Amino acid sequence: MTTRMRSAIAVFLGLGTLLAATGCASSSSGGGGGGGGSADGKVTVTFWENATNGPDGLAYFQSAAKQYQTLHPNVTISFQTIQNEALDGKLQTALNTNSAPDVFFQVGGGKMRAQVDAGELQPLNLTDADKTNIGAAALSGSSLDGKVYMMPVDTQPEGIYYSKNLFQQAGITSTPTTIEELEADVAKLKAVNVAPIAVGAKDAWPAAHWYYNFALRECSQSAMANTAKSLKFDDPCWKKAGDDVAAFLKTNPFQAGFLTTSAQQGAGSSAGLLANHKAGMELMGSWDPGVIASLTPDQKALPDLGWFPFPAVAGGQGDPTAIMGGNSAYSVSKKAPKEAFGFLEFMLTKDQQEAYSKAFQSIPVNPASQEVVTASYNVSALQAFNKAGYSMQYLDTQFGLNVGNALNGAVVNLMAGKGSPADIVTQANAAAAKG
């Protein structure tokens, strides 16, 4: 699971826009590159996006185009949205044939590292204003070997969503900050006949995200970075994370039948159980409130929905404030004109971030724009994100599809009593060796 869910609309939009720094945007030649210009000074920037979020998302880009053209009539954006399932193949073909778009939606992780190693991306030379607009946590998740290769425009922190009403019913007066406190809350919810935590293990990745987050707490940031580069899971923290999952399973924290429960389909899914107050918590990404709202009896937002970050693990080498999640981000291809980078800088300015957030129902990375976030669960997520020592993507994105699938399957086997913590490491290494 890489980024928040979006409805996919495959459309072509020829957007005449102006992409240069305004009074609010920093001015930079940091994108570098060449091409896209003409003798008369006019520049065309090609931009590929993975989808638009219905009419509101489309309206955002149209509005931005109108603003840019009014200010800078020499730049035109040729904007194209492509269904998510088709984007990866189309983009790889374009990169391989030296016909890549100037700006494109970036999934990050192993995919981005391969593009960097192939010399297909420009490093983004951020100004101090850019760095302020992005924020330290989001910036850390956009870098490889000390260089920034993608520009995040929103953040999708993962955490534990919970029912405030069920917590109150169980006598839980504050959200847990340690695994020991979480285990105590599991017992309290059981005492009032509520399934403590819902998980859709049928879909594999929701179950594996428990391992991911335990690994985030057990592994140091350097261990995570070294593993992403080498794809060798030889640090003891990977086995310890599996041990943590096994120990947590002994508290029987999940609903009955969790191995055959889906994550997001219907009232019986893990999201549906939380939506209908049949379970107290669910570990999930930031798209979850929308899914939950679609599964409540009145199909409206769950009024008592809250959020807290994954708790700290005693003795773990990881930063207890670190956040895992996804984002919407964009890279600049190697031959793109400098105006391509200028466009991304403009998308980070306060007004643009607020407009983007409203259109895509997302959490903006720019701290100056985060006042538009009002839902209590998103406010809590923002507070944790802004305090995070660093952020990183989900492990099945960070380490690539093959390793991700191996991790997901091995974690489900552990939860089903068919595998061990050591098996998770063994299978991850075996998948990495296959390439």
Side-chain angles (χ1 to χ4, degrees):
M1 208 27 92
T2 60
T3 62
R4 63 184 170 83
M5 304 296 188
R6 294 182 180 174
S7 58
I9 303 174
V11 297
F12 289 78
L13 299 173
L15 299 183
T17 78
L18 292 190
L19 288 177
T22 71
C24 297
S26 60
S27 177
S28 173
S29 60
S38 62
D40 59 4
K42 293 184 177 180
V43 178
T44 297
V45 174
T46 53
F47 185 106
W48 286 10
E49 159 69 320
N50 77 331
T52 59
N53 194 17
D56 290 342
L58 178 58
Y60 164 75
F61 284 107
Q62 290 174 329
S63 175
K66 185 177 180 180
Q67 294 175 59
Y68 296 150
Q69 187 166 3
T70 300
L71 294 169
H72 305 281
N74 66 309
V75 180
T76 299
I77 300 182
S78 176
F79 181 78
Q80 181 178 348
T81 58
I82 305 169
Q83 289 189 12
N84 187 63
E85 295 79 6
L87 177 60
D88 185 60
K90 185 178 178 71
L91 177 61
Q92 194 57 55
T93 297
L95 290 168
N96 291 344
T97 57
N98 207 29
S99 58
D102 297 316
V103 180
F104 58 88
F105 184 82
Q106 176 62 262
V107 299
K111 185 71 67 175
M112 184 172 76
R113 179 170 287 279
Q115 293 165 356
V116 170
D117 290 344
E120 295 165 339
L121 304 183
Q122 294 182 29
L124 306 180
N125 299 320
L126 304 184
T127 65
D128 289 341
D130 295 332
K131 294 175 183 178
T132 298
N133 288 343
I134 296 174
L139 191 61
S140 68
S142 304
S143 305
L144 283 177
D145 303 327
K147 295 182 179 181
V148 178
Y149 288 98
M150 69 179 186
M151 189 82 89
V153 294
D154 67 12
T155 181
Q156 301 152 28
E158 182 168 67
I160 298 178
Y161 290 90
Y162 73 100
S163 164
K164 295 178 182 178
N165 290 350
L166 290 180
F167 267 40
Q168 183 178 20
Q169 182 180 334
I172 301 171
T173 58
S174 61
T175 55
T177 60
T178 66
I179 291 298
E180 290 77 13
E181 290 175 356
L182 178 62
E183 292 176 344
D185 291 342
V186 164
K188 290 177 181 178
L189 287 163
K190 284 183 182 180
V192 294
N193 297 316
V194 171
I197 302 171
V199 64
K202 179 181 179 181
D203 295 325
W205 61 264
H209 279 214
W210 281 91
Y211 175 79
Y212 293 2
N213 279 275
F214 273 117
L216 185 66
R217 297 290 179 254
E218 288 286 7
C219 299
S220 67
Q221 186 176 5
S222 62
M224 285 287 189
N226 290 339
T227 302
K229 193 169 185 177
S230 68
L231 289 184
K232 294 180 180 179
F233 294 78
D234 51 6
D235 192 289
C237 67
W238 296 109
K239 165 69 163 49
K240 288 182 179 179
D243 292 336
D244 291 339
V245 174
F248 189 60
L249 284 170
K250 292 179 180 179
T251 69
N252 294 316
F254 304 128
Q255 82 277 10
F258 71 90
L259 290 169
T260 57
T261 299
S262 65
Q264 301 174 342
Q265 297 81 36
S269 66
S270 57
L273 293 174
L274 184 54
N276 292 279
H277 290 123
K278 302 296 184 183
M281 295 174 269
E282 184 186 27
L283 174 66
M284 191 56 65
S286 64
W287 59 84
D288 207 27
V291 177
I292 290 170
S294 72
L295 298 173
T296 59
D298 59 2
Q299 294 190 328
K300 295 182 179 179
L302 191 67
D304 67 314
L305 188 65
W307 184 97
F308 60 89
F310 196 84
V313 174
Q317 299 302 303
D319 187 331
T321 69
I323 291 283
M324 186 168 287
N327 57 25
S328 295
Y330 300 89
S331 286
V332 176
S333 60
K334 63 180 179 181
K335 292 187 176 181
K338 68 181 188 303
E339 288 81 1
F341 180 62
F343 169 62
L344 296 182
E345 289 182 297
F346 194 88
M347 286 184 69
L348 286 175
T349 59
K350 183 177 186 294
D351 290 347
Q352 289 301 312
Q353 279 275 280
E354 290 177 355
Y356 185 96
S357 176
K358 291 175 182 177
F360 289 95
Q361 302 176 39
S362 63
I363 299 175
V365 291
N366 189 334
S369 306
Q370 292 172 353
E371 61 190 19
V372 300
V373 177
T374 57
S376 65
Y377 47 82
N378 277 340
V379 171
S380 296
L382 259 181
Q383 291 172 344
F385 181 78
N386 288 336
K387 293 178 182 177
Y390 72 98
S391 66
M392 67 175 295
Q393 294 179 312
Y394 302 115
L395 299 189
D396 51 0
T397 299
Q398 191 76 21
F399 300 146
L401 185 62
N402 289 341
V403 173
N405 286 340
L407 286 172
N408 295 354
V411 173
V412 171
N413 284 341
L414 173 63
M415 290 186 171
K418 298 179 181 178
S420 69
D423 291 338
I424 298 174
V425 177
T426 299
Q427 291 179 34
N429 279 322
K434 293 179 181 178

